[in-house]
Amino acid sequence: MLDHRMFWPAVTFTLKYTAIATVLLIGLGLGLAFLVQESTRWRAFLRTAFLLPTALGLASASLLFYALYSPQVGPITPLLDRLGLTDGPVSVLGTADGALWSTVLLIVWRYAGFYMLLLLVGLQGIPGDVYEAARLDGAGTRQVFLHITLPLLKPSLALSTIMCVTGSLLAFDQFYILTKGGPDGSTMTLVQLVYNLAFESKRDIGMAAALSVIVLFALVIINVVQLRMMRRNPDE
């Protein structure tokens, strides 16, 4: 398996996609959680608006964005043409970078509200007395965030990070529907490579099983490392 021509490109792309998706989803989810928590007048509307995309299945969302990205029927290509960014109908999925960031946009739209909800639960679990005591001691907004909010939010951040990293490493539906691993295999993920080995190309079940075991061990190691890194103290 390690000598397969697509193995290392798939590993590299999967790790790259995982890093980008995790940073964006956790960062945006935390920002939306703060926005919803602090908002009073529009709180119910904002929560509904941010959570609404999570009601759509990933496959359905991928098909929706595939239509949006289509040069023939989608609105994105004509908009880019009017802005002078392209010359005529151009597929945003036709380049490696375009395919990657188009898929990341889909994932952020689909899952940002979900991670907002996870982190919002963590924020609401922080006692208000802690913030009041910090303000009485003269702590500023930055100090409160770094020394109170983040440490007390670690359990929610750990859960969100583990779920996001695991989901990104096992990405399949969005890339299979939007890019089929193209162009030229530049968006081939490890799980998609397992599928291709087992059911397409040479239909090598043994090679696909070997890659599945590699992915399983990698996930276990990565999750153990994440849990150890995000513990509050060595005794936990």
Side-chain angles (χ1 to χ4, degrees), residues 80-152:
L80 294 177
D81 192 19
R82 290 193 188 117
L83 294 175
L85 300 177
T86 61
D87 186 13
V90 176
S91 174
V92 295
L93 300 174
T95 63
D97 289 339
L100 170 61
W101 289 104
S102 298
T103 308
V104 168
L105 177 62
L106 158 66
I107 293 302
V108 169
W109 177 81
R110 170 63 177 77
Y111 286 103
F114 174 74
Y115 290 102
M116 174 207 72
L117 182 61
L118 290 180
L119 295 171
L120 179 61
V121 171
L123 287 175
Q124 292 179 341
I126 300 176
D129 298 342
V130 179
Y131 289 115
E132 293 180 7
R135 293 189 183 97
L136 290 176
D137 290 337
T141 303
R142 183 172 176 271
Q143 292 174 314
V144 169
F145 177 73
L146 292 177
H147 300 291
I148 295 178
T149 303
L150 280 184
L152 295 179

Side-chain angles (χ1 to χ4, degrees), residues 3 14-15 23 27 34 101 106 132 161-162 175 234:
D3 293 331
T14 303
L15 293 176
V23 170
F34 277 116
W101 289 104
L106 158 66
E132 293 180 7
T161 303
I162 289 173
F175 288 105

Side-chain angles (χ1 to χ4, degrees), residues 17-18 21-23 25-26 54 58 107 110-111 113-119 154-171 174 219 222-224 226-227 230:
Y17 166 74
T18 299
T22 300
V23 170
L25 284 174
I26 301 301
T54 63
L58 181 56
I107 293 302
R110 170 63 177 77
Y111 286 103
F114 174 74
Y115 290 102
M116 174 207 72
L117 182 61
L118 290 180
L119 295 171
K154 271 190 177 181
S156 296
L157 284 173
L159 173 63
S160 300
T161 303
I162 289 173
M163 293 183 66
C164 190
V165 169
T166 302
S168 300
L169 290 174
L170 297 177
Q174 60 270 37
L219 284 175
I222 290 172
N223 285 332
V224 169
Q226 287 184 96
L227 286 172
M230 302 199 73

Side-chain angles (χ1 to χ4, degrees), residues 21-37:
T22 300
V23 170
L24 290 179
L25 284 174
I26 301 301
L28 185 58
L30 184 58
L32 294 178
F34 277 116
L35 176 63
V36 170
Q37 185 187 40

